[in-house]
Amino acid sequence: MGYELRVERPAPLGFAELATVLGQAGFEFRGSQEAGEVLARHGDEIHAVADWNGRLSGTPDSDWQVAQMARVSSLLGARLVGEDGESYAIRDGLVEQLNGSAAYEFGKLGEILSAGPTLWSR
C-alpha cells in the first residue's frame, strides 16, 4: 500500500460536480456514481490518477500522478492533502508540496505532464 493523497474541501463533493469538472478538463471516469477511477491520458495510454468512492483519493507512484491529482483538486476548488498533513498545489505553473512554511518544488507542471507517468524508484 502506498502513500495516500486525498482531495479535501469544505463543501461536500458530489458525483455530478466531479463528472462535470473531469469532462471539461479532459479527464476520463470509469465506474459508477458510487465507485470508480479518474483516468488521464498520456500519449496513447490511459493511466489511473485517483479513486472515487464518495471521496476522491489516490496513491500516486509518479510526479505525473501527483501533478494530475493537484490539477483535479485545483479545478474542484479543493486541497490535495497527504497522510502527514502536507498539501500539494500548483502555484505559478509549479507543482509544490507545502508543509508549514516549507515548500518543495516537484517541477514545472507542463514539463511533468509532458514527461508522463515515470514511476518513482523504490
Side-chain angles (χ1 to χ4, degrees):
M1 177 101 182
Y3 189 82
E4 184 182 74
L5 300 179
R6 63 194 178 281
V7 176
E8 294 183 349
R9 67 180 201 172
L13 176 60
F15 180 77
E17 181 182 6
L18 175 67
T20 298
V21 168
L22 293 176
Q24 291 172 345
F27 289 93
E28 298 177 33
F29 184 83
R30 182 183 312 149
S32 68
Q33 291 185 19
E34 291 78 33
E37 287 182 303
V38 174
L39 308 165
R41 287 191 173 275
H42 185 263
D44 294 332
E45 297 180 357
I46 298 175
H47 302 273
V49 172
D51 296 313
W52 167 257
N53 60 1
R55 70 181 189 109
L56 198 56
S57 64
T59 53
D61 54 15
S62 70
D63 288 353
W64 183 84
Q65 288 174 304
V66 172
Q68 294 289 16
M69 288 186 74
R71 282 185 60 220
V72 170
S73 296
S74 178
L75 293 167
L76 292 168
R79 292 178 352 126
L80 183 61
V81 180
E83 292 177 8
D84 295 328
E86 78 283 8
S87 62
Y88 300 79
I90 299 170
R91 185 173 56 163
D92 299 327
L94 297 172
V95 179
E96 296 181 323
Q97 177 189 47
L98 308 164
N99 195 349
S101 61
Y104 165 76
E105 292 181 3
F106 276 80
K108 294 180 181 176
L109 177 63
E111 291 175 2
I112 292 171
L113 296 179
S114 292
T118 304
L119 300 180
W120 294 321
S121 57
R122 299 198 188 257

